[in-house]
Amino acid sequence: MTDTHTWRLRVELDDSPGVLARITTRLAARDCNVLALSILPVPGGVVDELVVKAAPDVPPAELVREIRAEGGRCLGITHADVRDLVDPPTAALRAAAMAFDDPCAAPEAVRVLLAADSVTFESGEPGRLLDGGHRAIFAIGDGTTVAARRGWAPFTDVELARVAVFTAMFRQVTVDADPPTAVVTPDGAGVVLRRGEVTDLDAVSQLHARCSARTLFARYHSGVRTLPRRLLHRLLAPPRGSTVLAVCGREVVGIGQLIRTARPEEAEVSLLIEDSWQHKGIGTALVCRMAVAARAEGHRELVAWCLPGESGFERTAARAGIPLSVRTEQGMLRIGLRVGESASEVTRTR
């Protein structure tokens, strides 16, 4: 979990004895502690990365000023996560284990390796550095590429080399970085979760036709019975997000959507499950899969909007083991899912 008073800084220091010690002494005088230090080789020298626990009354600008006072240059600063206190080799091994255990988590593993803001599926030429070093393209299997973005500091050669080794190993053990996954319902039916494609348009249209008016109203908050093909197309290929389908045989029985909002830390999530397939764990499986994708994209919270009196999505999120909060905003229920937190209790506020 992110600590609002712990910061990750990348700095260039003069190549003279005692500079780092003097900076540490300055920070200690301000009641700040250096919790971790690592050295990153860069062309022409090195960059020092510090994880600093600051006193509550010391803003990040003061940390930068203390470093500049000793002739240092701050290249970037961002909030630190508790995982930043783990040494880089251990963090790299954990990220690799995460991806090998669940190929769907490969983008999240790349994000962890790079301390990136987000990693999203995106076409491009692998190995390229773009936007002044703040965006990089990687191949992670079966022709799939992802784009890593980091606003607080450009990527370094050693970080890119670390990810290149990881992706090379990953491509040898899997053929799909976002593979279908299977769910077995309590009555023994097999359901496949996979990415939605435009070719699924007719099957998704039939899903809507089989859903009751009540189920459709809960999803769209209006009396819709059918969707025009242009809206079905946007449902399957949203410009600012992704869609996951639950498929049994040739029928689509459920659909989940993850849409980016104007706030980088937040994404909106929605579900539609066919009436006869509800209460069988399909919604829970969709939420879990979308939570993994959201975390990789740098989101900290998933938000669902429900009508007052509806409790289906809240129960689904609780069964997924994701900490959540519920409050009323403008006559609607805002359900917030704290993605990536390990807390086991569900917090509810009205």
Side-chain angles (χ1 to χ4, degrees), residues 13-331:
L13 303 178
D14 292 336
D15 187 16
S16 58
V19 174
L20 186 58
R22 292 196 298 273
I23 288 176
T24 302
T25 301
R26 276 183 170 274
L27 294 176
R30 300 293 302 273
D31 199 22
C32 302
N33 294 323
V34 176
L35 303 180
L37 167 66
S38 57
I39 300 173
L40 301 173
V42 296
V46 297
V47 168
D48 293 303
E49 181 172 284
L50 308 175
V51 178
V52 177
K53 176 75 170 181
D57 61 341
V58 178
E62 289 295 324
L63 299 178
V64 174
R65 273 193 283 270
E66 295 293 351
I67 291 169
R68 288 175 177 170
E70 293 296 338
R73 185 165 72 95
C74 185
L75 303 178
I77 183 169
T78 187
H79 282 295
D81 191 278
V82 293
R83 289 173 296 186
D84 296 332
L85 301 180
V86 178
D87 61 282
T90 301
L93 289 172
R94 286 184 178 177
M98 177 195 310
F100 294 143
D101 182 61
D102 179 6
C104 292
E108 167 66 355
V110 173
R111 192 193 67 81
V112 170
L113 282 172
L114 292 173
D117 298 324
S118 66
V119 174
T120 56
F121 290 104
E122 187 174 312
S123 60
E125 181 183 341
R128 291 192 64 191
L129 268 179
L130 305 166
D131 301 338
H134 291 272
R135 182 160 68 99
I137 306 293
F138 301 98
I140 57 175
D142 193 29
T144 301
T145 55
V146 294
R149 293 174 174 80
R150 189 170 68 190
W152 63 276
F155 297 117
T156 65
D157 289 341
V158 69
E159 290 175 310
L160 299 182
R162 192 178 299 156
V163 175
V165 172
F166 163 75
T167 55
M169 292 189 302
F170 188 73
R171 287 196 297 271
Q172 294 177 16
V173 298
T174 185
V175 296
D176 191 348
D178 189 18
T181 54
V183 177
V184 179
T185 65
D187 55 7
V191 176
V192 173
L193 306 185
R194 61 170 175 81
R195 283 176 289 179
E197 306 287 349
V198 175
T199 53
D200 297 307
L201 191 146
D202 289 337
V204 172
S205 177
Q206 293 165 14
L207 162 67
H208 284 74
R210 294 192 303 269
C211 288
S212 67
R214 179 175 181 178
T215 293
L216 291 174
F217 193 84
R219 165 61 179 87
Y220 295 106
H221 308 154
S222 66
V224 64
R225 286 299 300 165
T226 59
L227 291 182
R229 293 183 73 83
R230 62 180 179 82
L231 293 183
L232 287 171
H233 188 283
R234 287 179 63 86
L235 193 66
L236 286 165
R240 294 184 296 107
S242 58
T243 297
V244 181
L245 301 182
V247 182
C248 183
R250 296 183 178 180
E251 290 188 343
V252 173
V253 299
I255 184 170
Q257 250 196 338
L258 186 68
I259 303 296
R260 296 186 296 275
T261 69
R263 302 177 60 201
E265 69 275 13
E266 176 186 284
E268 188 170 336
V269 63
S270 60
L271 293 177
L272 176 67
I273 309 297
E274 185 177 336
D275 295 62
S276 60
W277 289 88
Q278 294 176 11
H279 311 296
K280 295 185 178 182
I282 296 173
T284 300
L286 283 170
V287 168
C288 289
R289 177 156 175 156
M290 289 187 291
V292 172
R295 189 73 180 94
E297 294 179 14
H299 304 304
R300 308 294 295 182
E301 184 180 37
L302 296 182
V303 176
W305 295 94
C306 301
L307 296 171
E310 289 181 6
S311 58
F313 188 91
E314 184 179 349
R315 291 196 304 269
T316 297
R319 285 194 294 269
I322 301 175
L324 61 88
S325 62
V326 183
R327 66 173 183 262
T328 301
E329 287 189 11
Q330 299 179 347

